[in-house]
Amino acid sequence: MASKYGSLRETEGHCKFFLKETASYHDRTMEHPLMQSIYDLRVTDGAYARYLQSLRSIFRALETERARQIMPATLVDPQLFRSDAIDADLDSFTSPVDRSESQSPAVQQYFGELMQESQLFDQETLICHHFLHYNAILSGGAFLGGCLKQMGKPSKLYEFHLKHASGGASQKSHQYVRDYMHRLDAIPGLNRQKMASLMRRVYELTEAIMDEAQALQPEVLRVHSLAHAECPSASSPADFAREVSLEELGSSTWAGERVWISIGGRVLDVTSSSSYAPGGAYGLFAGHDVSKCLGEMSLDEADLDDLEYDARASCTTWGAKLGRVYPAVGTLTEFPVSKRLPESIFVFDSKEGKVKVSSESVTSDSSQLKSGSCPFPFIFLHDPKLGWRLYHQRALDCTFGAMLGFVVGVFVMWMMKQMSQPPNGQPGTDSPQNWWEL
């Protein structure tokens, strides 16, 4: 990995170093067939229950009183603990789940290599497990939890009710992750190289745990075929033909009509996701080239719009992921041709962005975009353009409903007036004056 990223600055934090050193391993777990079966809303009860059982063993070991005492006090937070949430999820399955304490072969291998008695007394080892497992659930939990809820499967593992340590105010998951990383960066004297090596092994054995669960649903696989790549929604050269300047990209922010980002010089329309809104997990990225940020797992403003960054060396997986969810709209003019990502990796799938999850994750459901912002219809009073972009369909529906109601009301009043008149046009003395008196 050193050749890929070059020499690291002395001032670089622990977390950025760890994320860069394990980036390819992280990508493999996120693209694992088990994870894909959750994204695609196809995971079976048996496979997901096995995965939960394996995680329960790991989290229980990390949440013992002894582990809490050995871990740095700045990282220990009962709000993160997942054992009880996993137990609640296992209790929620309609079919009986094996609740015995016996460990599967993959979990036995994990504990045999990484969680032996002596290792659980080592602070750096515990930090490695803590950093990877808790942050993984915090970072991807909103999306995964939303997928599981749509399938009617238990999802408490991914539900957090976080509060700021300094007060009682609630805190979003991505904000908590940033604070956690700052606290970890402040710990002196860590052996980074040793810890990065251990983290890579954690990822490898976590993959083995996923393999074990996936083996219970061998028929559930996402097929990436040539036919899929040639489907009508696949990006074509025409999608990248438009030349987008850095200035135009910078104007495509949440306050405007659209939100664009660039990765490897390829511009994507991410308007459908509230993650790129102010306060969103990736609000910082809106209107910028984010190649270096994604390639080096950075949320540092200084890494935005680095047009000399070689995206081909480190952003191919990210380009394929984002290109599957967001449509391409052009190419960033100033990004060097030799360092641009190939157009062929951007295969847009219109179905990918349709999972309705919380506003902290990617979604195309416009009702989710209003979270944390001025509600409908009051947003039209102070920001009509943003209101129209977020709620145009709702506004049209309300307008049509009001017009229809007005027309129907006028018609009913006219009918009542007509029916209140006697047949000869003159009221009789002995007859009722109105038809409803009959």
Side-chain angles (χ1 to χ4, degrees):
M1 296 295 286
S3 62
K4 179 175 175 181
Y5 294 106
S7 59
L8 294 165
R9 300 186 302 274
E10 291 296 325
T11 57
E12 188 170 51
H14 302 316
C15 294
K16 190 172 183 180
F17 175 83
F18 295 146
L19 291 171
K20 284 164 48 176
E21 289 292 311
T22 61
S24 62
Y25 294 81
H26 168 268
D27 289 347
R28 286 211 308 263
T29 58
M30 294 308 296
E31 291 297 312
H32 192 279
L34 180 69
M35 291 293 103
Q36 290 178 350
S37 71
I38 298 178
Y39 309 151
D40 296 341
L41 311 182
R42 300 174 62 204
V43 69
T44 64
D45 282 357
Y48 185 55
R50 171 63 65 86
Y51 181 59
L52 287 176
Q53 287 172 307
S54 300
L55 291 182
R56 180 179 62 170
S57 298
I58 295 171
F59 282 116
R60 278 188 172 179
L62 295 176
E63 293 166 10
T64 63
E65 186 61 35
R66 184 181 64 186
R68 298 187 206 185
Q69 293 173 355
I70 296 172
M71 279 285 293
T74 55
L75 300 183
V76 176
D77 187 352
Q79 295 183 102
L80 296 181
F81 293 171
R82 296 291 91 191
S83 296
D84 290 344
I86 293 175
D87 284 336
D89 281 343
L90 290 172
D91 288 338
S92 298
F93 283 101
T94 54
S95 55
V97 174
D98 180 14
R99 299 297 297 274
S100 65
E101 295 299 319
S102 60
Q103 296 178 340
S104 69
V107 176
Q108 288 177 11
Q109 183 183 13
Y110 189 103
F111 273 76
E113 286 193 34
L114 304 177
M115 281 189 155
Q116 294 182 22
E117 192 72 17
S118 59
Q119 292 170 312
L120 293 177
F121 281 97
D122 180 67
Q123 186 180 80
E124 289 184 348
T125 297
L126 284 176
I127 290 175
C128 291
H129 295 291
H130 202 274
F131 175 72
L132 294 182
H133 286 296
Y134 288 108
N135 280 311
I137 293 178
L138 277 167
S139 300
F143 185 77
L144 289 169
C147 294
L148 292 164
K149 284 180 180 178
Q150 285 198 69
M151 292 183 283
K153 298 188 186 302
S155 59
K156 290 190 179 299
L157 169 62
Y158 300 103
E159 295 175 7
F160 289 90
H161 304 285
L162 302 170
K163 302 288 185 182
H164 283 277
S166 57
S170 60
Q171 190 174 32
K172 290 185 177 180
S173 296
H174 71 271
Q175 294 170 334
Y176 188 97
V177 170
R178 291 181 193 178
D179 290 346
Y180 178 99
M181 289 184 176
H182 289 316
R183 295 196 296 272
L184 178 51
D185 284 343
I187 299 174
L190 296 180
N191 187 337
R192 290 181 173 184
Q193 293 292 348
K194 171 193 166 188
M195 293 176 70
S197 177
L198 178 58
M199 288 181 184
R200 288 192 285 269
R201 191 57 181 154
V202 168
Y203 272 122
E204 289 174 339
L205 295 184
T206 299
E207 268 195 274
I209 287 173
M210 292 180 177
D211 289 341
E212 202 171 56
Q214 178 62 26
L216 298 178
Q217 54 172 25
E219 73 289 351
V220 181
L221 287 172
R222 175 186 287 176
V223 179
H224 293 283
S225 64
L226 183 62
H228 175 77
E230 295 175 349
C231 67
S233 60
S235 299
S236 68
D239 296 322
F240 301 98
R242 175 175 177 174
E243 293 287 334
V244 179
S245 68
L246 196 60
E247 181 181 0
E248 183 181 5
L249 178 66
S251 67
S252 61
T253 61
W254 193 254
E257 296 293 332
R258 60 181 184 265
V259 184
W260 290 352
I261 64 170
S262 167
I263 176 171
R266 306 305 182 181
V267 182
L268 304 178
D269 186 340
V270 297
T271 310
S272 62
S273 172
S274 62
S275 292
Y276 298 89
Y282 305 109
L284 177 73
F285 291 173
H288 294 282
D289 182 87
V290 299
S291 304
K292 187 173 183 179
C293 289
L294 295 179
E296 299 195 0
M297 310 292 281
S298 168
L299 291 174
D300 188 343
E301 281 190 63
D303 291 331
L304 294 169
D305 299 325
D306 187 339
L307 303 182
E308 295 303 315
Y309 189 75
D310 190 357
R312 287 177 178 264
S314 54
C315 295
T316 302
T317 300
W318 277 111
K321 284 181 182 178
L322 296 177
R324 194 164 64 225
V325 180
Y326 306 114
V329 293
T331 297
L332 187 61
T333 307
E334 293 90 343
F335 206 93
V337 175
S338 62
K339 297 179 180 179
R340 291 175 183 172
L341 290 176
E343 298 173 359
S344 58
I345 69 171
F346 294 87
V347 182
F348 175 60
D349 185 347
S350 59
K351 297 179 181 179
E352 283 287 333
K354 293 185 177 179
V355 178
K356 297 179 182 178
V357 295
S358 84
S359 60
E360 290 189 46
S361 58
V362 177
T363 177
S364 62
D365 179 18
S366 62
S367 67
Q368 300 294 331
L369 297 177
K370 62 186 179 180
S371 178
S373 63
C374 184
F376 176 88
F378 304 105
I379 191 171
F380 284 94
L381 297 177
H382 67 86
D383 197 341
K385 288 175 65 178
L386 180 60
W388 178 254
R389 182 160 66 81
L390 296 182
Y391 302 109
H392 63 276
Q393 188 60 52
R394 191 169 175 184
L396 289 173
D397 292 344
C398 290
T399 303
F400 177 77
M403 292 177 63
L404 181 62
F406 175 77
V407 171
V408 171
V410 170
F411 177 75
V412 169
M413 291 179 65
W414 179 80
M415 287 294 295
M416 291 174 63
K417 183 177 181 181
Q418 294 300 312
M419 297 182 70
S420 67
Q421 299 295 328
N424 296 330
Q426 295 182 357
T429 55
D430 297 328
S431 62
Q433 297 295 310
N434 299 301
W435 65 270
W436 55 81
E437 295 179 351
L438 292 174

